Amino acid sequence: MKLDAKIPEGPLAEKWEKHKFNIKLVNPANKRKYDIIVVGTGLAGASAAATLAELGYNVKAFCFQDSPRRAHSIAAQGGINAAKNYQGDGDSIFRLFYDTIKGGDYRSREANVYRLAQVSVNIIDQAVAQGVPFAREYGGLLANRSFGGAQVSRTFYAKGQTGQQLLLGAYSALMRQVAAGKVQLFPRTELLDVVLVDGKARGIVTRNLITGKIESHSAHAVVLATGGYGNVFYLSTNAMGSNGSAAWRAYKKGALFANPCFTQIHPTCIPVSGHYQSKLTLMSESLRNDGRVWVPKTVEDAEKIRRGELNPNDLPEDRRDYYLERKYPSFGNLVPRDVASRNAKYVCDEGRGVGSTGLAVFLDFRDAIKRDGRAVIEAKYGNLFDMYMRITGENPYEVPMKIYPAVHYTMGGLWVDYNLMTTIPGLYAIGECNFSDHGANRLGASALMQGLADGYFILPYTIGDYLARMPYDKVPTTHPAFKDAEREVENRIKKLLSINGKRTVDEFHRELGKIMWDYCGMSRNAEGLTKAREMVVKLREEFWSDLKMVGVNEEFNQTLEKALRVADFFELAELMIIDALHRNESCGGHFREEYQTPDGEALRNDEEYAYVAAWQYTGDGNEPVLHKEPLVFENVKLTQRSYK
């Protein structure tokens, strides 16, 4: 298989405009003859479904939540990037492009990232027109704040609930099309397989989560907007329902899976509090604008704070280590997430961590409150502070927050070309579901940007180029390909329900997550990864022989839902380990301990690993096949990433 990214010719700044002119169009009268399935109704899926319907296509939109409003995009807090340069501080489309390429440690495509920076300016106008209540300056202009990995303020925000407000904007656009009859909405419905006819994606098989009914849906093209796979680690900042099964089903039907080991650890999360905790809570990266990260300089002081013998507010300045400001004076507390996370791990490994477990660092707002006043800090971050107080019982206006890194986002995903199409013709992947824009590390406030860029401004153009070459003929769901897929789904469900074991799904998932966190998490090495693969394979065998299942398919059965997803997580986890083992370098969120600079930074190997690693499924029990898409850098110079 030869990977063709279909990157347009010409200068970087002109590629997208020229491409839009050169691709085929579907005229308005013909758009109503085409059916498109969109799976997922987060920012990417809702914006895509609404825009495609507005253009005239017939859209079916699917989500496993009871409402599109409950998609995980709602949890994004800090903001959305755009190269508007409202602050006049030197921002530009090229600077956003450069920061994103550098932030991803030079492991993403130049053409995709530049296009993302270009359309970012349109996203803000779109959202404002929808009534998204972005924060504004005193004079009424849109406000901006800074985020990690940048030295300019380009992040638009709505207090600490930016994702929720943007999702409500996309949701209103979506529901307008539902009311107009152009979008048919299927809530509480989960994709269980992708259907191929003559090698092209022509539909999906779903399960109604209330009744258990297995159904098929046909279309001319299928769009996956199903988010990331961070919950393979069990504990993450993702919603507990978030999963990688839709992407994994596509992988097993022939779509390549790219860079699966590129997972992001977010440095600003509420620390783990107990063994049976089910998820973690994110504290927005925006807090690092005003909060200062520190730990005691000595292990002795850290131990006293952990035992409650010393109030952190009483520790003098000369006994505090503001380690990010010390090590990275140019960026300080606003270094990218992978850098901030690793440094938190380092100081905790030295014994200088705080909290009951010693796995926490302080995020302190004392100086900001003294400088600006409590009212200003409350206006910026009030809902985040309230959330922290409710979860921890501590008041961050009076004592420093405690934070620690946690799994947050996955940069890996289905391989897509410039048009956002996977290696299966007619199957598209958008948002976090694909691999395309973030390389080995995503900069904060770029997830919302990519999801809305894909959904509002990229896919609606590029999907037309594919559909314009297709006949209008519809494939009936009575076609043998649909019936075969339904049988595969039913057999998988029967196999799970027939296991009469003793261990619950959550037990298996928790154990899998611990293996992945310990050996394929914030740092990895060859010995640990090799051991982890053996452990995952052994645990998967136990899963299929000792899983305790209850209930039947023909009812609301959350045990079955979880089991289907965790079964896929086991296979995905092994691919993540294989990918991490093969990449003998450190880059971004992929930190191999064998490959680091003398001062502990990620050490890339551009001569051998400047490529996208795209893996092909070759059958259960067989080794996946690696395909490489070389990354060519014509507009940025490959250098050792530095934030000092």
Side-chain angles (χ1 to χ4, degrees), residues 34-35 37 194-204 217-222 424-427 466-467 470-477 479 481-482:
Y34 289 111
D35 300 334
I37 285 171
V194 177
V195 179
L196 274 55
V197 178
D198 298 327
K200 297 177 180 177
R202 293 305 303 262
I204 61 174
H217 299 269
S218 170
H220 294 90
V222 176
I424 297 175
L427 180 66
Y466 172 75
L467 294 173
M470 280 194 76
Y472 308 128
D473 303 351
K474 301 186 180 185
V475 177
T477 54
H479 188 283
F482 282 93

PDB file of all heavy atoms in Angstrom, residues 34-35 37 194-204 217-222 424-427 466-467 470-477 479 481-482:
ATOM      1  N   TYR A  34     -27.403  12.931  -2.377  1.00  0.00           N
ATOM      2  CA  TYR A  34     -26.369  12.191  -1.649  1.00  0.00           C
ATOM      3  C   TYR A  34     -26.689  12.118  -0.162  1.00  0.00           C
ATOM      4  O   TYR A  34     -27.144  13.087   0.449  1.00  0.00           O
ATOM      5  CB  TYR A  34     -25.004  12.861  -1.830  1.00  0.00           C
ATOM      6  CG  TYR A  34     -24.429  12.718  -3.220  1.00  0.00           C
ATOM      7  CD1 TYR A  34     -24.316  13.823  -4.059  1.00  0.00           C
ATOM      8  CD2 TYR A  34     -23.982  11.485  -3.695  1.00  0.00           C
ATOM      9  CE1 TYR A  34     -23.782  13.711  -5.332  1.00  0.00           C
ATOM     10  CE2 TYR A  34     -23.450  11.356  -4.965  1.00  0.00           C
ATOM     11  CZ  TYR A  34     -23.351  12.474  -5.781  1.00  0.00           C
ATOM     12  OH  TYR A  34     -22.820  12.348  -7.045  1.00  0.00           O
ATOM     13  N   ASP A  35     -26.422  10.939   0.413  1.00  0.00           N
ATOM     14  CA  ASP A  35     -26.601  10.708   1.850  1.00  0.00           C
ATOM     15  C   ASP A  35     -25.230  10.603   2.515  1.00  0.00           C
ATOM     16  O   ASP A  35     -24.327   9.937   1.988  1.00  0.00           O
ATOM     17  CB  ASP A  35     -27.369   9.408   2.106  1.00  0.00           C
ATOM     18  CG  ASP A  35     -28.761   9.421   1.487  1.00  0.00           C
ATOM     19  OD1 ASP A  35     -29.313  10.522   1.319  1.00  0.00           O
ATOM     20  OD2 ASP A  35     -29.264   8.333   1.151  1.00  0.00           O
ATOM     21  N   ILE A  37     -23.359   9.883   6.379  1.00  0.00           N
ATOM     22  CA  ILE A  37     -23.452   9.496   7.789  1.00  0.00           C
ATOM     23  C   ILE A  37     -22.345  10.200   8.560  1.00  0.00           C
ATOM     24  O   ILE A  37     -21.183  10.193   8.144  1.00  0.00           O
ATOM     25  CB  ILE A  37     -23.320   7.971   7.951  1.00  0.00           C
ATOM     26  CG1 ILE A  37     -24.613   7.269   7.511  1.00  0.00           C
ATOM     27  CG2 ILE A  37     -22.966   7.590   9.386  1.00  0.00           C
ATOM     28  CD1 ILE A  37     -24.503   5.758   7.440  1.00  0.00           C
ATOM     29  N   VAL A 194     -18.160  -0.737  10.458  1.00  0.00           N
ATOM     30  CA  VAL A 194     -18.230   0.021   9.211  1.00  0.00           C
ATOM     31  C   VAL A 194     -18.463  -0.969   8.085  1.00  0.00           C
ATOM     32  O   VAL A 194     -17.869  -2.054   8.074  1.00  0.00           O
ATOM     33  CB  VAL A 194     -16.917   0.809   8.972  1.00  0.00           C
ATOM     34  CG1 VAL A 194     -16.953   1.537   7.641  1.00  0.00           C
ATOM     35  CG2 VAL A 194     -16.675   1.788  10.112  1.00  0.00           C
ATOM     36  N   VAL A 195     -19.334  -0.624   7.140  1.00  0.00           N
ATOM     37  CA  VAL A 195     -19.685  -1.536   6.049  1.00  0.00           C
ATOM     38  C   VAL A 195     -19.034  -1.057   4.751  1.00  0.00           C
ATOM     39  O   VAL A 195     -19.192   0.102   4.357  1.00  0.00           O
ATOM     40  CB  VAL A 195     -21.214  -1.627   5.864  1.00  0.00           C
ATOM     41  CG1 VAL A 195     -21.561  -2.568   4.712  1.00  0.00           C
ATOM     42  CG2 VAL A 195     -21.876  -2.107   7.155  1.00  0.00           C
ATOM     43  N   LEU A 196     -18.315  -1.972   4.101  1.00  0.00           N
ATOM     44  CA  LEU A 196     -17.677  -1.680   2.823  1.00  0.00           C
ATOM     45  C   LEU A 196     -18.388  -2.424   1.707  1.00  0.00           C
ATOM     46  O   LEU A 196     -18.719  -3.615   1.847  1.00  0.00           O
ATOM     47  CB  LEU A 196     -16.205  -2.101   2.839  1.00  0.00           C
ATOM     48  CG  LEU A 196     -15.166  -1.116   3.384  1.00  0.00           C
ATOM     49  CD1 LEU A 196     -15.505  -0.658   4.795  1.00  0.00           C
ATOM     50  CD2 LEU A 196     -13.776  -1.727   3.347  1.00  0.00           C
ATOM     51  N   VAL A 197     -18.643  -1.732   0.615  1.00  0.00           N
ATOM     52  CA  VAL A 197     -19.200  -2.333  -0.600  1.00  0.00           C
ATOM     53  C   VAL A 197     -18.283  -1.956  -1.751  1.00  0.00           C
ATOM     54  O   VAL A 197     -18.030  -0.767  -1.982  1.00  0.00           O
ATOM     55  CB  VAL A 197     -20.635  -1.836  -0.875  1.00  0.00           C
ATOM     56  CG1 VAL A 197     -21.170  -2.432  -2.180  1.00  0.00           C
ATOM     57  CG2 VAL A 197     -21.562  -2.188   0.283  1.00  0.00           C
ATOM     58  N   ASP A 198     -17.757  -2.964  -2.433  1.00  0.00           N
ATOM     59  CA  ASP A 198     -16.790  -2.741  -3.518  1.00  0.00           C
ATOM     60  C   ASP A 198     -15.607  -1.898  -3.042  1.00  0.00           C
ATOM     61  O   ASP A 198     -15.110  -1.026  -3.762  1.00  0.00           O
ATOM     62  CB  ASP A 198     -17.469  -2.070  -4.727  1.00  0.00           C
ATOM     63  CG  ASP A 198     -18.580  -2.934  -5.321  1.00  0.00           C
ATOM     64  OD1 ASP A 198     -18.439  -4.174  -5.286  1.00  0.00           O
ATOM     65  OD2 ASP A 198     -19.568  -2.366  -5.806  1.00  0.00           O
ATOM     66  N   GLY A 199     -15.172  -2.132  -1.799  1.00  0.00           N
ATOM     67  CA  GLY A 199     -14.009  -1.457  -1.267  1.00  0.00           C
ATOM     68  C   GLY A 199     -14.253  -0.056  -0.759  1.00  0.00           C
ATOM     69  O   GLY A 199     -13.324   0.610  -0.283  1.00  0.00           O
ATOM     70  N   LYS A 200     -15.486   0.435  -0.840  1.00  0.00           N
ATOM     71  CA  LYS A 200     -15.805   1.793  -0.400  1.00  0.00           C
ATOM     72  C   LYS A 200     -16.697   1.760   0.834  1.00  0.00           C
ATOM     73  O   LYS A 200     -17.543   0.872   0.971  1.00  0.00           O
ATOM     74  CB  LYS A 200     -16.518   2.557  -1.522  1.00  0.00           C
ATOM     75  CG  LYS A 200     -15.680   2.749  -2.775  1.00  0.00           C
ATOM     76  CD  LYS A 200     -16.482   3.455  -3.853  1.00  0.00           C
ATOM     77  CE  LYS A 200     -15.644   3.654  -5.110  1.00  0.00           C
ATOM     78  NZ  LYS A 200     -16.420   4.287  -6.199  1.00  0.00           N
ATOM     79  N   ALA A 201     -16.539   2.741   1.712  1.00  0.00           N
ATOM     80  CA  ALA A 201     -17.404   2.845   2.884  1.00  0.00           C
ATOM     81  C   ALA A 201     -18.798   3.259   2.435  1.00  0.00           C
ATOM     82  O   ALA A 201     -18.975   4.323   1.844  1.00  0.00           O
ATOM     83  CB  ALA A 201     -16.845   3.870   3.863  1.00  0.00           C
ATOM     84  N   ARG A 202     -19.793   2.406   2.704  1.00  0.00           N
ATOM     85  CA  ARG A 202     -21.149   2.703   2.271  1.00  0.00           C
ATOM     86  C   ARG A 202     -22.167   2.642   3.396  1.00  0.00           C
ATOM     87  O   ARG A 202     -23.367   2.698   3.151  1.00  0.00           O
ATOM     88  CB  ARG A 202     -21.577   1.733   1.150  1.00  0.00           C
ATOM     89  CG  ARG A 202     -20.829   1.881  -0.159  1.00  0.00           C
ATOM     90  CD  ARG A 202     -20.869   3.288  -0.722  1.00  0.00           C
ATOM     91  NE  ARG A 202     -22.203   3.793  -0.942  1.00  0.00           N
ATOM     92  CZ  ARG A 202     -22.831   3.774  -2.128  1.00  0.00           C
ATOM     93  NH1 ARG A 202     -22.226   3.260  -3.183  1.00  0.00           N
ATOM     94  NH2 ARG A 202     -24.033   4.283  -2.253  1.00  0.00           N
ATOM     95  N   GLY A 203     -21.689   2.514   4.641  1.00  0.00           N
ATOM     96  CA  GLY A 203     -22.649   2.514   5.736  1.00  0.00           C
ATOM     97  C   GLY A 203     -22.052   2.003   7.024  1.00  0.00           C
ATOM     98  O   GLY A 203     -20.847   1.744   7.121  1.00  0.00           O
ATOM     99  N   ILE A 204     -22.915   1.864   8.024  1.00  0.00           N
ATOM    100  CA  ILE A 204     -22.480   1.410   9.345  1.00  0.00           C
ATOM    101  C   ILE A 204     -23.518   0.458   9.936  1.00  0.00           C
ATOM    102  O   ILE A 204     -24.680   0.451   9.526  1.00  0.00           O
ATOM    103  CB  ILE A 204     -22.271   2.596  10.317  1.00  0.00           C
ATOM    104  CG1 ILE A 204     -23.583   3.363  10.528  1.00  0.00           C
ATOM    105  CG2 ILE A 204     -21.170   3.516   9.817  1.00  0.00           C
ATOM    106  CD1 ILE A 204     -23.493   4.469  11.581  1.00  0.00           C
ATOM    107  N   HIS A 217     -27.336   1.181   8.441  1.00  0.00           N
ATOM    108  CA  HIS A 217     -27.648   2.459   7.800  1.00  0.00           C
ATOM    109  C   HIS A 217     -26.727   2.628   6.601  1.00  0.00           C
ATOM    110  O   HIS A 217     -25.506   2.424   6.707  1.00  0.00           O
ATOM    111  CB  HIS A 217     -27.467   3.615   8.785  1.00  0.00           C
ATOM    112  CG  HIS A 217     -28.352   3.524   9.986  1.00  0.00           C
ATOM    113  ND1 HIS A 217     -29.607   4.087  10.041  1.00  0.00           N
ATOM    114  CD2 HIS A 217     -28.161   2.910  11.188  1.00  0.00           C
ATOM    115  CE1 HIS A 217     -30.152   3.831  11.222  1.00  0.00           C
ATOM    116  NE2 HIS A 217     -29.293   3.121  11.938  1.00  0.00           N
ATOM    117  N   SER A 218     -27.297   3.017   5.485  1.00  0.00           N
ATOM    118  CA  SER A 218     -26.551   3.135   4.240  1.00  0.00           C
ATOM    119  C   SER A 218     -26.337   4.599   3.883  1.00  0.00           C
ATOM    120  O   SER A 218     -27.162   5.457   4.210  1.00  0.00           O
ATOM    121  CB  SER A 218     -27.317   2.428   3.113  1.00  0.00           C
ATOM    122  OG  SER A 218     -26.764   2.709   1.851  1.00  0.00           O
ATOM    123  N   ALA A 219     -25.226   4.893   3.196  1.00  0.00           N
ATOM    124  CA  ALA A 219     -24.941   6.263   2.753  1.00  0.00           C
ATOM    125  C   ALA A 219     -23.917   6.214   1.635  1.00  0.00           C
ATOM    126  O   ALA A 219     -23.347   5.163   1.320  1.00  0.00           O
ATOM    127  CB  ALA A 219     -24.435   7.111   3.914  1.00  0.00           C
ATOM    128  N   HIS A 220     -23.671   7.379   1.041  1.00  0.00           N
ATOM    129  CA  HIS A 220     -22.645   7.474   0.002  1.00  0.00           C
ATOM    130  C   HIS A 220     -21.261   7.702   0.606  1.00  0.00           C
ATOM    131  O   HIS A 220     -20.247   7.446  -0.054  1.00  0.00           O
ATOM    132  CB  HIS A 220     -22.975   8.611  -0.970  1.00  0.00           C
ATOM    133  CG  HIS A 220     -24.213   8.361  -1.775  1.00  0.00           C
ATOM    134  ND1 HIS A 220     -25.470   8.752  -1.353  1.00  0.00           N
ATOM    135  CD2 HIS A 220     -24.388   7.741  -2.966  1.00  0.00           C
ATOM    136  CE1 HIS A 220     -26.364   8.389  -2.256  1.00  0.00           C
ATOM    137  NE2 HIS A 220     -25.741   7.781  -3.249  1.00  0.00           N
ATOM    138  N   ALA A 221     -21.205   8.208   1.832  1.00  0.00           N
ATOM    139  CA  ALA A 221     -19.937   8.427   2.527  1.00  0.00           C
ATOM    140  C   ALA A 221     -20.188   8.390   4.027  1.00  0.00           C
ATOM    141  O   ALA A 221     -21.293   8.667   4.494  1.00  0.00           O
ATOM    142  CB  ALA A 221     -19.311   9.763   2.126  1.00  0.00           C
ATOM    143  N   VAL A 222     -19.145   8.045   4.767  1.00  0.00           N
ATOM    144  CA  VAL A 222     -19.231   7.944   6.229  1.00  0.00           C
ATOM    145  C   VAL A 222     -18.147   8.825   6.841  1.00  0.00           C
ATOM    146  O   VAL A 222     -16.981   8.776   6.422  1.00  0.00           O
ATOM    147  CB  VAL A 222     -19.051   6.488   6.698  1.00  0.00           C
ATOM    148  CG1 VAL A 222     -19.052   6.408   8.227  1.00  0.00           C
ATOM    149  CG2 VAL A 222     -20.135   5.588   6.114  1.00  0.00           C
ATOM    150  N   ILE A 424      -9.585   4.007   3.423  1.00  0.00           N
ATOM    151  CA  ILE A 424     -10.802   3.409   2.861  1.00  0.00           C
ATOM    152  C   ILE A 424     -11.536   4.503   2.096  1.00  0.00           C
ATOM    153  O   ILE A 424     -11.944   5.506   2.692  1.00  0.00           O
ATOM    154  CB  ILE A 424     -11.722   2.840   3.965  1.00  0.00           C
ATOM    155  CG1 ILE A 424     -11.025   1.709   4.721  1.00  0.00           C
ATOM    156  CG2 ILE A 424     -13.045   2.366   3.368  1.00  0.00           C
ATOM    157  CD1 ILE A 424     -11.830   1.193   5.905  1.00  0.00           C
ATOM    158  N   PRO A 425     -11.712   4.365   0.783  1.00  0.00           N
ATOM    159  CA  PRO A 425     -12.435   5.399   0.020  1.00  0.00           C
ATOM    160  C   PRO A 425     -13.825   5.646   0.607  1.00  0.00           C
ATOM    161  O   PRO A 425     -14.548   4.703   0.942  1.00  0.00           O
ATOM    162  CB  PRO A 425     -12.528   4.795  -1.390  1.00  0.00           C
ATOM    163  CG  PRO A 425     -11.395   3.831  -1.474  1.00  0.00           C
ATOM    164  CD  PRO A 425     -11.240   3.267  -0.085  1.00  0.00           C
ATOM    165  N   GLY A 426     -14.159   6.914   0.768  1.00  0.00           N
ATOM    166  CA  GLY A 426     -15.475   7.271   1.284  1.00  0.00           C
ATOM    167  C   GLY A 426     -15.587   7.292   2.785  1.00  0.00           C
ATOM    168  O   GLY A 426     -16.636   7.650   3.326  1.00  0.00           O
ATOM    169  N   LEU A 427     -14.515   6.925   3.500  1.00  0.00           N
ATOM    170  CA  LEU A 427     -14.516   6.971   4.966  1.00  0.00           C
ATOM    171  C   LEU A 427     -13.609   8.109   5.416  1.00  0.00           C
ATOM    172  O   LEU A 427     -12.403   8.112   5.143  1.00  0.00           O
ATOM    173  CB  LEU A 427     -14.024   5.659   5.567  1.00  0.00           C
ATOM    174  CG  LEU A 427     -13.997   5.617   7.104  1.00  0.00           C
ATOM    175  CD1 LEU A 427     -15.400   5.681   7.685  1.00  0.00           C
ATOM    176  CD2 LEU A 427     -13.268   4.368   7.611  1.00  0.00           C
ATOM    177  N   TYR A 466     -15.058  13.908  -3.574  1.00  0.00           N
ATOM    178  CA  TYR A 466     -15.290  12.460  -3.650  1.00  0.00           C
ATOM    179  C   TYR A 466     -16.685  12.155  -4.181  1.00  0.00           C
ATOM    180  O   TYR A 466     -16.856  11.338  -5.093  1.00  0.00           O
ATOM    181  CB  TYR A 466     -15.097  11.837  -2.267  1.00  0.00           C
ATOM    182  CG  TYR A 466     -15.485  10.378  -2.186  1.00  0.00           C
ATOM    183  CD1 TYR A 466     -14.679   9.392  -2.738  1.00  0.00           C
ATOM    184  CD2 TYR A 466     -16.672   9.982  -1.555  1.00  0.00           C
ATOM    185  CE1 TYR A 466     -15.030   8.047  -2.668  1.00  0.00           C
ATOM    186  CE2 TYR A 466     -17.029   8.651  -1.475  1.00  0.00           C
ATOM    187  CZ  TYR A 466     -16.210   7.685  -2.041  1.00  0.00           C
ATOM    188  OH  TYR A 466     -16.571   6.361  -1.973  1.00  0.00           O
ATOM    189  N   LEU A 467     -17.687  12.834  -3.645  1.00  0.00           N
ATOM    190  CA  LEU A 467     -19.063  12.542  -4.033  1.00  0.00           C
ATOM    191  C   LEU A 467     -19.326  12.899  -5.490  1.00  0.00           C
ATOM    192  O   LEU A 467     -20.121  12.218  -6.167  1.00  0.00           O
ATOM    193  CB  LEU A 467     -20.030  13.298  -3.123  1.00  0.00           C
ATOM    194  CG  LEU A 467     -20.037  12.862  -1.652  1.00  0.00           C
ATOM    195  CD1 LEU A 467     -20.912  13.786  -0.821  1.00  0.00           C
ATOM    196  CD2 LEU A 467     -20.496  11.416  -1.512  1.00  0.00           C
ATOM    197  N   MET A 470     -19.034  10.068  -7.737  1.00  0.00           N
ATOM    198  CA  MET A 470     -19.841   8.881  -7.423  1.00  0.00           C
ATOM    199  C   MET A 470     -21.199   8.936  -8.099  1.00  0.00           C
ATOM    200  O   MET A 470     -21.777  10.013  -8.257  1.00  0.00           O
ATOM    201  CB  MET A 470     -20.090   8.790  -5.906  1.00  0.00           C
ATOM    202  CG  MET A 470     -18.961   8.224  -5.099  1.00  0.00           C
ATOM    203  SD  MET A 470     -19.558   7.825  -3.449  1.00  0.00           S
ATOM    204  CE  MET A 470     -20.466   6.312  -3.779  1.00  0.00           C
ATOM    205  N   PRO A 471     -21.742   7.782  -8.465  1.00  0.00           N
ATOM    206  CA  PRO A 471     -23.133   7.770  -8.946  1.00  0.00           C
ATOM    207  C   PRO A 471     -24.089   8.039  -7.790  1.00  0.00           C
ATOM    208  O   PRO A 471     -23.725   7.922  -6.616  1.00  0.00           O
ATOM    209  CB  PRO A 471     -23.301   6.347  -9.483  1.00  0.00           C
ATOM    210  CG  PRO A 471     -22.296   5.530  -8.749  1.00  0.00           C
ATOM    211  CD  PRO A 471     -21.129   6.440  -8.486  1.00  0.00           C
ATOM    212  N   TYR A 472     -25.316   8.410  -8.096  1.00  0.00           N
ATOM    213  CA  TYR A 472     -26.307   8.714  -7.056  1.00  0.00           C
ATOM    214  C   TYR A 472     -26.913   7.444  -6.454  1.00  0.00           C
ATOM    215  O   TYR A 472     -27.629   7.514  -5.457  1.00  0.00           O
ATOM    216  CB  TYR A 472     -27.444   9.565  -7.635  1.00  0.00           C
ATOM    217  CG  TYR A 472     -26.988  10.803  -8.372  1.00  0.00           C
ATOM    218  CD1 TYR A 472     -27.439  11.075  -9.658  1.00  0.00           C
ATOM    219  CD2 TYR A 472     -26.112  11.696  -7.778  1.00  0.00           C
ATOM    220  CE1 TYR A 472     -27.016  12.206 -10.340  1.00  0.00           C
ATOM    221  CE2 TYR A 472     -25.675  12.821  -8.447  1.00  0.00           C
ATOM    222  CZ  TYR A 472     -26.127  13.077  -9.732  1.00  0.00           C
ATOM    223  OH  TYR A 472     -25.704  14.188 -10.399  1.00  0.00           O
ATOM    224  N   ASP A 473     -26.652   6.292  -7.081  1.00  0.00           N
ATOM    225  CA  ASP A 473     -27.276   5.037  -6.659  1.00  0.00           C
ATOM    226  C   ASP A 473     -27.042   4.786  -5.173  1.00  0.00           C
ATOM    227  O   ASP A 473     -25.929   4.976  -4.664  1.00  0.00           O
ATOM    228  CB  ASP A 473     -26.711   3.853  -7.447  1.00  0.00           C
ATOM    229  CG  ASP A 473     -26.889   4.022  -8.948  1.00  0.00           C
ATOM    230  OD1 ASP A 473     -27.597   4.962  -9.339  1.00  0.00           O
ATOM    231  OD2 ASP A 473     -26.321   3.229  -9.709  1.00  0.00           O
ATOM    232  N   LYS A 474     -28.079   4.335  -4.487  1.00  0.00           N
ATOM    233  CA  LYS A 474     -27.979   4.009  -3.068  1.00  0.00           C
ATOM    234  C   LYS A 474     -27.864   2.498  -2.893  1.00  0.00           C
ATOM    235  O   LYS A 474     -28.485   1.728  -3.627  1.00  0.00           O
ATOM    236  CB  LYS A 474     -29.199   4.538  -2.316  1.00  0.00           C
ATOM    237  CG  LYS A 474     -29.353   6.049  -2.439  1.00  0.00           C
ATOM    238  CD  LYS A 474     -30.471   6.587  -1.590  1.00  0.00           C
ATOM    239  CE  LYS A 474     -30.566   8.108  -1.752  1.00  0.00           C
ATOM    240  NZ  LYS A 474     -31.553   8.722  -0.858  1.00  0.00           N
ATOM    241  N   VAL A 475     -27.064   2.095  -1.926  1.00  0.00           N
ATOM    242  CA  VAL A 475     -26.922   0.675  -1.616  1.00  0.00           C
ATOM    243  C   VAL A 475     -27.951   0.322  -0.551  1.00  0.00           C
ATOM    244  O   VAL A 475     -27.934   0.909   0.539  1.00  0.00           O
ATOM    245  CB  VAL A 475     -25.503   0.348  -1.112  1.00  0.00           C
ATOM    246  CG1 VAL A 475     -25.403  -1.117  -0.718  1.00  0.00           C
ATOM    247  CG2 VAL A 475     -24.466   0.688  -2.173  1.00  0.00           C
ATOM    248  N   PRO A 476     -28.853  -0.617  -0.824  1.00  0.00           N
ATOM    249  CA  PRO A 476     -29.855  -0.971   0.201  1.00  0.00           C
ATOM    250  C   PRO A 476     -29.215  -1.717   1.354  1.00  0.00           C
ATOM    251  O   PRO A 476     -28.195  -2.402   1.187  1.00  0.00           O
ATOM    252  CB  PRO A 476     -30.824  -1.867  -0.568  1.00  0.00           C
ATOM    253  CG  PRO A 476     -30.008  -2.466  -1.668  1.00  0.00           C
ATOM    254  CD  PRO A 476     -29.000  -1.411  -2.058  1.00  0.00           C
ATOM    255  N   THR A 477     -29.790  -1.599   2.534  1.00  0.00           N
ATOM    256  CA  THR A 477     -29.234  -2.288   3.701  1.00  0.00           C
ATOM    257  C   THR A 477     -29.511  -3.791   3.660  1.00  0.00           C
ATOM    258  O   THR A 477     -29.095  -4.519   4.564  1.00  0.00           O
ATOM    259  CB  THR A 477     -29.802  -1.691   5.007  1.00  0.00           C
ATOM    260  OG1 THR A 477     -31.226  -1.714   4.959  1.00  0.00           O
ATOM    261  CG2 THR A 477     -29.319  -0.257   5.198  1.00  0.00           C
ATOM    262  N   HIS A 479     -28.266  -5.438   1.220  1.00  0.00           N
ATOM    263  CA  HIS A 479     -27.087  -5.899   0.491  1.00  0.00           C
ATOM    264  C   HIS A 479     -26.310  -6.894   1.362  1.00  0.00           C
ATOM    265  O   HIS A 479     -26.211  -6.730   2.582  1.00  0.00           O
ATOM    266  CB  HIS A 479     -26.211  -4.700   0.141  1.00  0.00           C
ATOM    267  CG  HIS A 479     -25.070  -5.015  -0.777  1.00  0.00           C
ATOM    268  ND1 HIS A 479     -23.914  -5.645  -0.352  1.00  0.00           N
ATOM    269  CD2 HIS A 479     -24.897  -4.795  -2.120  1.00  0.00           C
ATOM    270  CE1 HIS A 479     -23.082  -5.794  -1.372  1.00  0.00           C
ATOM    271  NE2 HIS A 479     -23.655  -5.269  -2.456  1.00  0.00           N
ATOM    272  N   ALA A 481     -23.274  -7.286   2.016  1.00  0.00           N
ATOM    273  CA  ALA A 481     -22.206  -6.704   2.851  1.00  0.00           C
ATOM    274  C   ALA A 481     -22.759  -6.240   4.193  1.00  0.00           C
ATOM    275  O   ALA A 481     -22.097  -6.366   5.235  1.00  0.00           O
ATOM    276  CB  ALA A 481     -21.536  -5.539   2.117  1.00  0.00           C
ATOM    277  N   PHE A 482     -23.967  -5.676   4.191  1.00  0.00           N
ATOM    278  CA  PHE A 482     -24.585  -5.243   5.447  1.00  0.00           C
ATOM    279  C   PHE A 482     -24.964  -6.449   6.293  1.00  0.00           C
ATOM    280  O   PHE A 482     -24.766  -6.444   7.519  1.00  0.00           O
ATOM    281  CB  PHE A 482     -25.810  -4.378   5.154  1.00  0.00           C
ATOM    282  CG  PHE A 482     -25.493  -2.966   4.765  1.00  0.00           C
ATOM    283  CD1 PHE A 482     -25.367  -2.611   3.431  1.00  0.00           C
ATOM    284  CD2 PHE A 482     -25.298  -1.987   5.725  1.00  0.00           C
ATOM    285  CE1 PHE A 482     -25.058  -1.313   3.064  1.00  0.00           C
ATOM    286  CE2 PHE A 482     -24.992  -0.684   5.376  1.00  0.00           C
ATOM    287  CZ  PHE A 482     -24.867  -0.341   4.037  1.00  0.00           C
TER     288      PHE A 482
END
